[in-house]
Amino acid sequence: MSGLRIYVPRDAAALAVDAEKVAEAVLAEAKIRGIEVELVRNGSRGMLWLEPLVEIEKDGTRHAFGPVTPHDVEALFDADWGDHALALGPTEEIDWFKRQTRLTFARVGVIDPLSLEAYEAHGGLKGLRRALGMTGAAMIDEMKESGLRGRGGAGFPTGIKWDTVRLAEADQKYIVANADEGDSGTFADRMLMEGDPFSLIEGMAIAGICVGATRGYIYLRSEYPEAIHTMREAIRIARARGVLGASVLGSDFAYDMEVRVGAGAYVCGEETSLLNSLEGKRGVVRAKPPLPAIEGFLGKPTVVNNIISLGTVPVIFERGAVHYRDFGLGRSRGTIPIQIAGNVKFGGLFETAFGTSLGALVDEIGGGTATGRPVKAVQVGGPLGAYFPRSKFDTPFGYEEFDGEGGLIGHAGVVVFDDSADMLGMARFAMEFCAVESCGKCTPCRIGAVRGVETVDRIARGDVDAIPLLTDLCDTMTDGSLCALGGFTPYPVMSALRHFPDDFHANAKEAAE
C-alpha cells in the first residue's frame, strides 16, 4: 500500500466519540506497517450518527467509513481501506449527504479548516476580492437582492441592517458576530467555526468594508473550546497573510477582528445583552430604541449578525445574489442549515433550500425516532420554539410559513420527541428555563416565569382550573417582555397545551376516578 491521505474530523461532535484516539490509531498503525500517511483533520460532514467518520482519498474520490473506533483501524488497514463492514462508499454519494444543497457549508468537512490554501482552492476569498472593487451602495444592492435574512432567529433582512449602519455617521463602526449559540438542538454555528473559520472571517471583512467598520468581534460562548481555539488560530493566520489588518488583501481598506468569550448566559444570545457583556457590563437587555445599528457597541453603529448569516455572505459575493436568491420559498431565500436532533435516528446538519416540509425532515431525512416509537412532537427553534404535532408536518420550512402556524424557525434546530414525552412536563421545563436564564430586567419575564412554574405544578396536581391562569400569564409575558426570552417562552407552553391537551388533564382525570 502506497502513501495515503486520510481524513479524521476534529469537530467537537467527532471528538466526543473518540476521534482523537482514532487519529492516533491511524498514525500508529501506519507507522507499524511502514505506510506514509497524510492525516488531514477536517470538520464534520454533519452526519453525526456516523462519527467518527473517517475518509480516505482514492483516485481523487473520498470514500467514507463509519462510525470508526480505534479498535477498527487495524482491520481497515488489513482491508486496504476497501471491502469492510464500515465502508459507506463515496462520501458525497451517501444519500443523506447527496440530498443536500450545500452553499454555506460547502467546504465544511471537505478541507483542513486552518489551511488558507485549501480555503482559496475551494472558492475562498473570491467574494472578498469582488467586494473590494465595489462601492458600499452596490454591495448593499447585492445583499438586498440576495434576500438573505438573519439566521439567528429573527429573520430580519441583512441588507437593510447593513444599510442602516452604512448610512449612520460616526467616527467608528463595528461588526459583531453573535456566536452565543445557546439553543437546545443547535450546532450549526459551532460546526461552521470549527470546519470553515475563514468563511466567517471573510464574511465579516466584507461587512466591514461595506458599512465602513474597521473592527470586528466574535462573541463566542465559553462552552465551545474547540471553536474558540480554531477561530483564534484562523484569525492569526488571516492577519499574517494580509487578509486582515491595515490593508485588506493589499487594498486601502482596513479591517481587523478578535474573539471575545462569553460567560455562559443564555440571554446574551439577544443582541443588546451581548453588547453589554462585550463591553464588560452585566448581560442584561437594553430597551430599544436606539437600535444597535445606530447605537451599539460602545455607543457606535454596529452590525450584529449571526454566524451563519455572516458565513453565507462570501457565497453571495462569489456566486452572485441571483444565484443565491434562486433557492428558497416565498420570502425565505437561499438555503438553511437545519440541525436535526433529539430522539431521532439520523441526527446531524442538513443544509437545504427553504421549502422542505417538516414531515420530510423528520420522517425521511431524520429517519423517525431512534427508539422506533411514533413521533409525538417536534420542537423547532430551540427552547423558545413551539411544539408541532404530526398534523402540522406538512408545514414548509420557511419564516412566514412557520409563523402562520404559530411557530418560529429560530436558529433552525429541530428536536424530535416520541410518544413517551410528557408535554405538561415540557411546558414546565420551558417556564423553568426562562426563570433560570432571565436577566431579571423586566417583570413579565423575571416574575412571570416563576409564576409559570408554580401554575404548571398546580395543573400537574390535577387543578385544571389553573389552565386559564396559565393562558393569561402567557399573554402577559408575550406582550410585556423586553426581549424574546420572556416574549417567546409562551410558544412552547401554549403549543403544548393547544396540541396535547390530554397531557394537561391526565392527573385531573386520575383524581376524579
Side-chain angles (χ1 to χ4, degrees):
M1 187 185 298
S2 58
L4 301 174
R5 179 180 292 160
I6 298 177
Y7 297 79
V8 180
R10 192 180 269 133
D11 178 273
L15 293 177
V17 285
D18 285 341
E20 198 63 40
K21 291 181 179 179
V22 171
E24 292 170 359
V26 167
L27 291 176
E29 191 65 29
K31 184 177 181 180
I32 291 171
R33 298 170 184 252
I35 298 171
E36 184 179 340
V37 166
E38 177 190 352
L39 185 66
V40 180
R41 305 304 302 274
N42 55 324
S44 173
R45 292 280 194 161
M47 297 175 282
L48 299 186
W49 75 95
L50 294 175
E51 293 291 3
L53 181 75
V54 177
E55 298 176 77
I56 183 168
E57 190 170 311
K58 292 184 176 181
D59 300 322
T61 300
R62 302 257 287 266
H63 294 260
F65 300 81
V68 176
T69 70
H71 304 292
D72 296 320
V73 172
E74 182 180 357
L76 285 165
F77 272 95
D78 288 340
D80 194 18
W81 293 89
D83 186 16
H84 189 277
L86 298 178
L88 301 166
T91 309
E92 297 187 5
E93 292 300 315
I94 296 172
D95 185 63
W96 204 86
F97 190 87
K98 191 176 181 179
R99 295 175 66 175
Q100 299 185 51
T101 302
R102 288 218 162 184
L103 297 181
T104 307
F105 281 75
R107 286 177 290 262
V108 176
V110 176
I111 65 171
D112 176 347
L114 293 175
S115 170
L116 190 58
E117 292 78 12
Y119 180 71
E120 289 195 72
H122 288 80
L125 299 184
K126 287 183 179 178
L128 177 56
R129 289 192 171 96
R130 179 180 172 223
L132 287 168
M134 300 171 68
T135 64
M139 294 172 72
I140 292 296
D141 288 342
E142 191 81 1
M143 290 298 296
K144 290 180 178 179
E145 176 71 15
S146 73
L148 180 67
R149 296 166 68 176
R151 296 292 189 254
F156 189 80
T158 308
I160 294 176
K161 180 181 288 189
W162 285 21
D163 203 24
T164 304
V165 177
R166 183 181 72 91
L167 296 175
E169 294 185 7
D171 58 350
Q172 179 67 58
K173 300 177 183 180
Y174 297 99
I175 308 296
V176 173
N178 184 347
D180 196 56
E181 185 177 49
D183 284 354
S184 50
T186 62
F187 42 86
D189 291 355
R190 178 191 58 74
M191 275 188 59
L192 190 68
M193 289 185 290
E194 292 178 1
D196 192 15
F198 292 118
S199 67
L200 175 57
I201 293 170
E202 183 178 0
M204 292 180 70
I206 292 172
I209 291 164
C210 176
V211 306
T214 59
R215 191 77 188 168
Y217 297 93
I218 302 172
Y219 186 89
L220 216 165
R221 68 197 307 250
S222 59
E223 296 90 339
Y224 283 173
E226 293 298 326
I228 292 168
H229 168 76
T230 301
M231 282 309 316
R232 283 179 168 162
E233 184 62 14
I235 290 170
R236 184 194 66 78
I237 293 168
R239 192 178 291 130
R241 299 287 291 276
V243 178
L244 297 173
S247 176
V248 174
L249 293 179
S251 71
D252 294 331
F253 293 97
Y255 184 79
D256 209 342
M257 58 190 287
E258 63 181 274
V259 171
R260 293 284 181 90
V261 179
Y266 177 80
V267 76
C268 284
E270 191 279 331
E271 61 180 1
T272 63
S273 296
L274 182 156
L275 292 173
N276 273 336
S277 178
L278 194 60
E279 292 176 5
K281 302 172 184 175
R282 183 172 172 232
V284 296
V285 176
R286 298 177 184 176
K288 302 176 187 177
L291 297 170
I294 304 298
E295 292 183 27
F297 182 58
L298 300 176
K300 303 296 184 180
T302 304
V303 169
V304 183
N305 276 149
N306 168 259
I307 297 301
I308 304 303
S309 305
L310 290 163
T312 301
V313 169
V315 177
I316 293 168
F317 280 84
E318 176 197 352
R319 304 190 185 186
V322 173
H323 179 271
Y324 188 77
R325 183 202 64 198
D326 283 350
F327 296 95
L329 167 77
R331 291 175 55 203
S332 302
R333 308 313 309 167
T335 61
I336 181 76
I338 299 167
Q339 300 119 92
I340 304 172
N343 187 342
V344 67
K345 189 175 182 180
F346 303 126
L349 185 139
F350 192 92
E351 184 178 359
T352 187
F354 283 99
T356 304
S357 73
L358 181 59
L361 290 170
V362 174
D363 296 327
E364 298 173 24
I365 297 163
T369 64
T371 57
R373 299 174 66 96
V375 174
K376 180 173 184 176
V378 177
Q379 186 176 34
V380 181
L384 308 181
Y387 290 103
F388 275 34
R390 182 164 286 281
S391 62
K392 289 187 176 292
F393 276 20
D394 287 340
T395 306
F397 213 88
Y399 293 103
E400 282 69 36
E401 289 71 22
F402 263 67
D403 181 64
E405 294 295 334
L408 50 94
I409 66 172
H411 191 39
V414 174
V415 179
V416 180
F417 298 82
D418 72 11
D419 63 353
S420 66
D422 172 18
M423 301 312 294
L424 176 64
M426 298 313 300
R428 186 189 192 280
F429 171 78
M431 284 295 188
E432 183 181 25
F433 179 84
C434 182
V436 170
E437 295 292 347
S438 174
C439 76
K441 185 164 185 176
C442 69
T443 303
C445 177
R446 183 184 70 249
I447 302 299
V450 175
R451 295 294 173 259
V453 172
E454 296 169 354
T455 306
V456 173
D457 284 345
R458 284 177 55 186
I459 297 169
R461 292 192 295 269
D463 183 4
V464 293
D465 290 337
I467 290 178
L469 179 60
L470 180 65
T471 301
D472 185 60
L473 179 62
C474 284
D475 289 341
T476 300
M477 292 178 69
T478 298
D479 296 337
S481 298
L482 274 176
C483 82
L485 177 54
F488 284 2
T489 292
Y491 273 77
V493 176
M494 293 307 300
S495 60
L497 174 60
R498 185 180 307 113
H499 300 304
F500 307 98
D502 288 349
D503 288 19
F504 286 73
H505 290 82
N507 289 344
K509 291 178 181 177
E510 291 176 7
E513 292 171 356

